[in-house]
PDB file of all heavy atoms in Angstrom:
ATOM      1  N   TYR A  29     -17.654  17.425  -5.380  1.00 98.00           N
ATOM      2  CA  TYR A  29     -17.787  18.354  -6.518  1.00 98.00           C
ATOM      3  C   TYR A  29     -19.207  18.879  -6.516  1.00 98.00           C
ATOM      4  O   TYR A  29     -20.102  18.261  -5.960  1.00 98.00           O
ATOM      5  CB  TYR A  29     -17.477  17.665  -7.835  1.00 98.00           C
ATOM      6  CG  TYR A  29     -18.411  16.544  -8.151  1.00 98.00           C
ATOM      7  CD1 TYR A  29     -19.549  16.750  -8.945  1.00 98.00           C
ATOM      8  CD2 TYR A  29     -18.237  15.281  -7.606  1.00 98.00           C
ATOM      9  CE1 TYR A  29     -20.457  15.753  -9.188  1.00 98.00           C
ATOM     10  CE2 TYR A  29     -19.127  14.263  -7.842  1.00 98.00           C
ATOM     11  CZ  TYR A  29     -20.255  14.495  -8.636  1.00 98.00           C
ATOM     12  OH  TYR A  29     -21.148  13.487  -8.877  1.00 98.00           O
ATOM     13  N   GLY A  31     -20.335  20.780  -9.611  1.00 96.00           N
ATOM     14  CA  GLY A  31     -20.779  20.934 -10.994  1.00 96.00           C
ATOM     15  C   GLY A  31     -19.628  20.901 -11.975  1.00 96.00           C
ATOM     16  O   GLY A  31     -18.623  20.207 -11.742  1.00 96.00           O
ATOM     17  N   GLY A  32     -19.759  21.687 -13.036  1.00 97.00           N
ATOM     18  CA  GLY A  32     -18.827  21.640 -14.135  1.00 97.00           C
ATOM     19  C   GLY A  32     -17.370  21.829 -13.764  1.00 97.00           C
ATOM     20  O   GLY A  32     -16.475  21.161 -14.313  1.00 97.00           O
ATOM     21  N   VAL A  35     -16.071  18.569 -12.271  1.00 98.00           N
ATOM     22  CA  VAL A  35     -16.038  17.497 -13.259  1.00 98.00           C
ATOM     23  C   VAL A  35     -14.900  17.744 -14.238  1.00 98.00           C
ATOM     24  O   VAL A  35     -14.178  16.816 -14.619  1.00 98.00           O
ATOM     25  CB  VAL A  35     -17.407  17.385 -13.975  1.00 98.00           C
ATOM     26  CG1 VAL A  35     -17.347  16.379 -15.090  1.00 98.00           C
ATOM     27  CG2 VAL A  35     -18.490  16.987 -12.974  1.00 98.00           C
ATOM     28  N   TRP A 303     -17.488   9.828 -20.394  1.00 98.00           N
ATOM     29  CA  TRP A 303     -18.756  10.432 -20.791  1.00 98.00           C
ATOM     30  C   TRP A 303     -19.423   9.762 -21.981  1.00 98.00           C
ATOM     31  O   TRP A 303     -20.412  10.291 -22.514  1.00 98.00           O
ATOM     32  CB  TRP A 303     -18.604  11.921 -20.966  1.00 98.00           C
ATOM     33  CG  TRP A 303     -18.278  12.550 -19.651  1.00 98.00           C
ATOM     34  CD1 TRP A 303     -17.080  13.061 -19.246  1.00 98.00           C
ATOM     35  CD2 TRP A 303     -19.171  12.649 -18.501  1.00 98.00           C
ATOM     36  NE1 TRP A 303     -17.160  13.489 -17.929  1.00 98.00           N
ATOM     37  CE2 TRP A 303     -18.412  13.248 -17.471  1.00 98.00           C
ATOM     38  CE3 TRP A 303     -20.503  12.293 -18.284  1.00 98.00           C
ATOM     39  CZ2 TRP A 303     -18.985  13.492 -16.215  1.00 98.00           C
ATOM     40  CZ3 TRP A 303     -21.047  12.536 -17.041  1.00 98.00           C
ATOM     41  CH2 TRP A 303     -20.300  13.135 -16.031  1.00 98.00           C
ATOM     42  N   ALA A 370     -29.982  19.794 -18.030  1.00 98.00           N
ATOM     43  CA  ALA A 370     -29.560  19.500 -16.650  1.00 98.00           C
ATOM     44  C   ALA A 370     -28.175  20.080 -16.423  1.00 98.00           C
ATOM     45  O   ALA A 370     -27.279  19.901 -17.245  1.00 98.00           O
ATOM     46  CB  ALA A 370     -29.563  17.991 -16.420  1.00 98.00           C
ATOM     47  N   ARG A 371     -28.037  20.756 -15.331  1.00 97.00           N
ATOM     48  CA  ARG A 371     -26.777  21.386 -14.930  1.00 97.00           C
ATOM     49  C   ARG A 371     -27.025  22.011 -13.581  1.00 97.00           C
ATOM     50  O   ARG A 371     -28.145  22.011 -13.078  1.00 97.00           O
ATOM     51  CB  ARG A 371     -26.344  22.424 -15.972  1.00 97.00           C
ATOM     52  CG  ARG A 371     -27.493  23.301 -16.460  1.00 97.00           C
ATOM     53  CD  ARG A 371     -27.072  24.273 -17.574  1.00 97.00           C
ATOM     54  NE  ARG A 371     -26.455  23.606 -18.716  1.00 97.00           N
ATOM     55  CZ  ARG A 371     -27.117  23.052 -19.739  1.00 97.00           C
ATOM     56  NH1 ARG A 371     -28.423  23.093 -19.782  1.00 97.00           N
ATOM     57  NH2 ARG A 371     -26.444  22.466 -20.710  1.00 97.00           N
ATOM     58  N   LYS A 377     -28.406  30.618 -16.018  1.00 94.00           N
ATOM     59  CA  LYS A 377     -28.546  29.510 -16.970  1.00 94.00           C
ATOM     60  C   LYS A 377     -29.974  29.390 -17.538  1.00 94.00           C
ATOM     61  O   LYS A 377     -30.228  28.639 -18.458  1.00 94.00           O
ATOM     62  CB  LYS A 377     -28.063  28.197 -16.371  1.00 94.00           C
ATOM     63  CG  LYS A 377     -26.560  28.206 -16.079  1.00 94.00           C
ATOM     64  CD  LYS A 377     -26.052  26.849 -15.580  1.00 94.00           C
ATOM     65  CE  LYS A 377     -24.580  26.816 -15.235  1.00 94.00           C
ATOM     66  NZ  LYS A 377     -23.746  26.179 -16.261  1.00 94.00           N
ATOM     67  N   TYR A 438     -29.060  15.442  -9.339  1.00 98.00           N
ATOM     68  CA  TYR A 438     -28.178  15.420 -10.529  1.00 98.00           C
ATOM     69  C   TYR A 438     -26.738  15.344 -10.086  1.00 98.00           C
ATOM     70  O   TYR A 438     -26.229  16.223  -9.373  1.00 98.00           O
ATOM     71  CB  TYR A 438     -28.426  16.692 -11.335  1.00 98.00           C
ATOM     72  CG  TYR A 438     -27.728  16.699 -12.700  1.00 98.00           C
ATOM     73  CD1 TYR A 438     -28.026  15.711 -13.640  1.00 98.00           C
ATOM     74  CD2 TYR A 438     -26.795  17.666 -13.026  1.00 98.00           C
ATOM     75  CE1 TYR A 438     -27.396  15.713 -14.873  1.00 98.00           C
ATOM     76  CE2 TYR A 438     -26.165  17.683 -14.271  1.00 98.00           C
ATOM     77  CZ  TYR A 438     -26.462  16.695 -15.192  1.00 98.00           C
ATOM     78  OH  TYR A 438     -25.868  16.707 -16.414  1.00 98.00           O
ATOM     79  N   ASN A 439     -26.067  14.274 -10.476  1.00 98.00           N
ATOM     80  CA  ASN A 439     -24.633  14.124 -10.181  1.00 98.00           C
ATOM     81  C   ASN A 439     -23.984  13.426 -11.362  1.00 98.00           C
ATOM     82  O   ASN A 439     -24.621  13.267 -12.416  1.00 98.00           O
ATOM     83  CB  ASN A 439     -24.437  13.348  -8.853  1.00 98.00           C
ATOM     84  CG  ASN A 439     -25.001  11.939  -8.931  1.00 98.00           C
ATOM     85  OD1 ASN A 439     -25.380  11.438 -10.000  1.00 98.00           O
ATOM     86  ND2 ASN A 439     -25.094  11.295  -7.801  1.00 98.00           N
ATOM     87  N   MET A 440     -22.759  12.985 -11.246  1.00 98.00           N
ATOM     88  CA  MET A 440     -22.062  12.413 -12.408  1.00 98.00           C
ATOM     89  C   MET A 440     -22.759  11.152 -12.909  1.00 98.00           C
ATOM     90  O   MET A 440     -22.797  10.899 -14.089  1.00 98.00           O
ATOM     91  CB  MET A 440     -20.596  12.094 -12.056  1.00 98.00           C
ATOM     92  CG  MET A 440     -19.752  13.361 -11.863  1.00 98.00           C
ATOM     93  SD  MET A 440     -18.041  12.966 -11.441  1.00 98.00           S
ATOM     94  CE  MET A 440     -17.474  12.208 -12.971  1.00 98.00           C
ATOM     95  N   ALA A 443     -25.915  12.222 -14.666  1.00 98.00           N
ATOM     96  CA  ALA A 443     -25.522  12.870 -15.924  1.00 98.00           C
ATOM     97  C   ALA A 443     -25.130  11.844 -16.973  1.00 98.00           C
ATOM     98  O   ALA A 443     -25.466  11.980 -18.165  1.00 98.00           O
ATOM     99  CB  ALA A 443     -24.374  13.841 -15.664  1.00 98.00           C
ATOM    100  N   GLU A 462     -21.738  31.844 -19.654  1.00 94.00           N
ATOM    101  CA  GLU A 462     -21.331  30.441 -19.685  1.00 94.00           C
ATOM    102  C   GLU A 462     -19.890  30.399 -20.165  1.00 94.00           C
ATOM    103  O   GLU A 462     -19.607  30.372 -21.342  1.00 94.00           O
ATOM    104  CB  GLU A 462     -22.222  29.663 -20.684  1.00 94.00           C
ATOM    105  CG  GLU A 462     -22.002  28.172 -20.659  1.00 94.00           C
ATOM    106  CD  GLU A 462     -22.704  27.510 -19.486  1.00 94.00           C
ATOM    107  OE1 GLU A 462     -22.305  27.776 -18.333  1.00 94.00           O
ATOM    108  OE2 GLU A 462     -23.614  26.712 -19.725  1.00 94.00           O
ATOM    109  N   GLY A 465     -18.868  25.728 -20.460  1.00 97.00           N
ATOM    110  CA  GLY A 465     -19.908  24.695 -20.514  1.00 97.00           C
ATOM    111  C   GLY A 465     -19.251  23.422 -21.030  1.00 97.00           C
ATOM    112  O   GLY A 465     -18.386  23.476 -21.907  1.00 97.00           O
ATOM    113  N   THR A 466     -19.594  22.297 -20.411  1.00 98.00           N
ATOM    114  CA  THR A 466     -19.032  21.033 -20.887  1.00 98.00           C
ATOM    115  C   THR A 466     -20.099  19.985 -21.138  1.00 98.00           C
ATOM    116  O   THR A 466     -19.858  19.001 -21.841  1.00 98.00           O
ATOM    117  CB  THR A 466     -18.013  20.441 -19.884  1.00 98.00           C
ATOM    118  OG1 THR A 466     -18.618  20.413 -18.588  1.00 98.00           O
ATOM    119  CG2 THR A 466     -16.729  21.262 -19.851  1.00 98.00           C
ATOM    120  N   SER A 467     -21.311  20.177 -20.587  1.00 98.00           N
ATOM    121  CA  SER A 467     -22.286  19.128 -20.766  1.00 98.00           C
ATOM    122  C   SER A 467     -22.669  18.928 -22.238  1.00 98.00           C
ATOM    123  O   SER A 467     -22.951  17.812 -22.672  1.00 98.00           O
ATOM    124  CB  SER A 467     -23.523  19.379 -19.907  1.00 98.00           C
ATOM    125  OG  SER A 467     -24.212  20.529 -20.318  1.00 98.00           O
ATOM    126  N   LYS A 470     -20.434  16.452 -23.662  1.00 98.00           N
ATOM    127  CA  LYS A 470     -20.837  15.065 -23.291  1.00 98.00           C
ATOM    128  C   LYS A 470     -21.959  14.600 -24.196  1.00 98.00           C
ATOM    129  O   LYS A 470     -22.020  13.429 -24.556  1.00 98.00           O
ATOM    130  CB  LYS A 470     -21.294  15.038 -21.828  1.00 98.00           C
ATOM    131  CG  LYS A 470     -20.262  15.493 -20.821  1.00 98.00           C
ATOM    132  CD  LYS A 470     -20.874  15.658 -19.414  1.00 98.00           C
ATOM    133  CE  LYS A 470     -19.929  16.366 -18.472  1.00 98.00           C
ATOM    134  NZ  LYS A 470     -20.594  16.813 -17.230  1.00 98.00           N
TER     135      LYS A 470
HETATM  136  C1  PLP B 601     -20.862  18.026 -16.850  1.00 75.55           C
HETATM  137  C2  PLP B 601     -21.562  18.304 -15.573  1.00 75.55           C
HETATM  138  C3  PLP B 601     -21.898  19.633 -15.247  1.00 75.55           C
HETATM  139  C4  PLP B 601     -21.588  20.802 -16.156  1.00 75.55           C
HETATM  140  O1  PLP B 601     -22.724  21.134 -16.936  1.00 75.55           O
HETATM  141  P1  PLP B 601     -22.743  22.496 -17.783  1.00 75.55           P
HETATM  142  O2  PLP B 601     -23.938  22.378 -18.612  1.00 75.55           O
HETATM  143  O3  PLP B 601     -21.482  22.505 -18.576  1.00 75.55           O
HETATM  144  O4  PLP B 601     -22.816  23.589 -16.801  1.00 75.55           O
HETATM  145  C5  PLP B 601     -22.569  19.857 -14.047  1.00 75.55           C
HETATM  146  N1  PLP B 601     -22.906  18.841 -13.231  1.00 75.55           N
HETATM  147  C6  PLP B 601     -22.585  17.568 -13.517  1.00 75.55           C
HETATM  148  C7  PLP B 601     -22.955  16.504 -12.559  1.00 75.55           C
HETATM  149  C8  PLP B 601     -21.909  17.254 -14.695  1.00 75.55           C
HETATM  150  O5  PLP B 601     -21.602  15.992 -14.951  1.00 75.55           O
END
Side-chain angles (χ1 to χ4, degrees):
Y29 62 94
V35 174
W303 294 108
R371 43 184 55 84
K377 293 185 183 258
Y438 189 60
N439 62 11
M440 290 179 67
E462 188 78 295
T466 51
S467 65
K470 300 170 191 167

